[in-house]
Amino acid sequence: MGVREEFLEKAKVELGDLAEAGVVMAGNAFSQALLLKGEPERGDAKLLEGPDGAALRAALKALGYAPEDWVGLSTCDAEGYPLVPGTLRLAITTLDPSTVIAIDEPAAAALREAYADELVDLEALEAATLMPGVLARILGMRVMNLGGFEESLADPKAKQVMWARLKTLPPEGEPY
């Protein structure tokens, strides 16, 4: 077995372990942009299949991310219970994104709890509290709380605010 096959097998096992633990994910596990969602989907929709997911994917593509360069992660397990901070950290570490985008306040709250020790060390209060629209660097990741993306879709002015925030998170490296 070559190095590539070993890497893929390792990732397959780690992602399988997360799925068995009830972690809800969608998209490409090998992508640099992680979309963290705390609010449950409406009805029978799967993670990021609704209007917010479509709008976020379109925004990422407009910024220069490849269409498949996103992974979604819910802060709740398959039964709707919040992930414990250690499980959320493990899921994020396993996915290894360069950018984490909390798309709603419950997602930002889960990040605050999971990365409390790292956030305390940040000098800027706005970054340490993950204020909406403020970029924080945590363990080499760019982290931003959008502050209510789904709700913004109904308000043109709020959509412009979200787009301005997202524009500060272009892909790191060359566009596809």
Side-chain angles (χ1 to χ4, degrees):
M1 183 181 292
V3 174
R4 179 182 165 104
E5 290 79 17
E6 288 176 7
F7 176 76
L8 290 173
E9 185 60 29
K10 177 183 179 289
K12 185 176 171 182
V13 169
E14 290 174 344
L15 292 170
D17 289 347
L18 289 173
E20 282 183 30
V23 175
V24 178
M25 300 170 281
N28 177 3
F30 298 104
S31 55
Q32 60 178 313
L34 185 147
L35 304 172
L36 187 65
K37 186 165 184 173
E39 291 288 330
E41 294 292 349
R42 299 170 201 260
D44 293 336
K46 292 185 181 177
L47 183 63
L48 297 172
E49 279 189 353
D52 59 339
L56 283 164
R57 288 191 301 277
L60 291 176
K61 186 176 178 185
L63 290 171
Y65 289 86
E68 70 281 354
D69 195 10
W70 66 275
V71 62
L73 176 64
S74 175
T75 63
C76 295
D77 66 16
E79 295 180 16
Y81 295 106
L83 296 177
V84 296
T87 302
L88 180 59
R89 276 184 77 112
L90 177 62
I92 292 171
T93 300
T94 300
L95 294 169
D96 192 27
S98 61
T99 304
V100 177
I101 302 168
I103 64 174
D104 53 32
E105 185 51 40
L111 278 175
R112 286 184 198 103
E113 189 173 356
Y115 290 96
D117 291 340
E118 291 78 12
L119 290 168
V120 162
D121 291 336
L122 298 179
E123 289 185 29
L125 179 62
E126 295 82 4
T129 56
L130 294 178
M131 299 268 310
V134 175
L135 181 63
R137 291 238 179 228
I138 304 172
L139 300 174
M141 299 179 293
R142 299 183 301 175
V143 178
M144 181 178 287
N145 171 14
L146 288 181
F149 185 83
E150 188 170 10
E151 296 82 22
S152 77
L153 297 178
D155 178 3
K157 194 171 189 176
K159 281 197 310 192
Q160 289 178 343
V161 169
M162 293 298 156
W163 176 238
R165 290 175 181 171
L166 285 166
K167 286 194 306 188
T168 66
L169 300 169
E172 294 185 315
E174 295 182 28
Y176 73 98

